[in-house]
Amino acid sequence: MAKKVKRGAIYVCLILLAAICFLPFLLMIVNATRSGVEITHSFTLIPSTHLGENWEALFKYVNLFKGFKNSLLVAIPATILTAYFSSITAYAMAVYRFKGNAWLFKYLWCL
């Protein structure tokens, strides 16, 4: 019985932490639907009706899709190269024995 209560308390804590982590994203979405004056005057979680105006203003000043494309052009090769070189390094550390191998394993394990 005590184990179930402990597990239930842990789940409640985890759900609260997840809600706290999602709160900034919810605020970002709600504020995207509000005007600048509404954002500065009050705090609310109720969306407004200014989403279309905000999108028009955004696309007037920023080319959003070009930014997404540039981010992908940097992030995808960086991810692929990091995975490739990390796997080569991990293979070399696991297969080859060299001086300081055990120390390096312990050091990387602590990171």
Side-chain angles (χ1 to χ4, degrees), residues 74-102:
V74 171
I76 291 174
T79 303
I80 291 171
L81 288 172
T82 299
Y84 176 73
F85 287 113
S86 297
S87 63
I88 289 175
T89 304
Y91 177 79
M93 286 181 60
V95 171
Y96 299 114
R97 301 291 171 218
F98 52 90
K99 186 177 179 180
N101 190 19

Side-chain angles (χ1 to χ4, degrees), residues 3-111:
K3 188 175 183 179
K4 288 185 180 182
V5 171
K6 185 177 179 182
R7 183 177 287 179
I10 290 173
Y11 282 135
V12 168
C13 289
L14 290 175
I15 289 170
L16 287 173
L17 284 173
I20 290 170
C21 289
F22 283 118
L23 185 64
F25 294 105
L26 176 64
L27 289 174
M28 181 177 57
I29 291 169
V30 169
N31 284 338
T33 65
R34 300 172 67 201
S35 69
V37 175
E38 289 175 337
I39 292 172
T40 57
H41 281 143
S42 66
F43 172 78
T44 181
L45 292 176
I46 300 170
S48 183
T49 59
H50 298 282
L51 182 63
E53 299 166 17
N54 292 340
W55 275 96
E56 288 175 13
L58 174 69
F59 282 110
K60 185 166 53 169
Y61 295 110
V62 177
N63 189 348
L64 191 63
F65 297 112
K66 185 176 182 181
F68 282 143
K69 184 186 91 170
N70 289 340
S71 295
L72 287 175
L73 286 176
V74 171
I76 291 174
T79 303
I80 291 171
L81 288 172
T82 299
Y84 176 73
F85 287 113
S86 297
S87 63
I88 289 175
T89 304
Y91 177 79
M93 286 181 60
V95 171
Y96 299 114
R97 301 291 171 218
F98 52 90
K99 186 177 179 180
N101 190 19
W103 178 84
L104 189 58
F105 265 119
K106 289 177 185 175
Y107 176 74
L108 291 176
W109 181 257
C110 291
L111 290 178

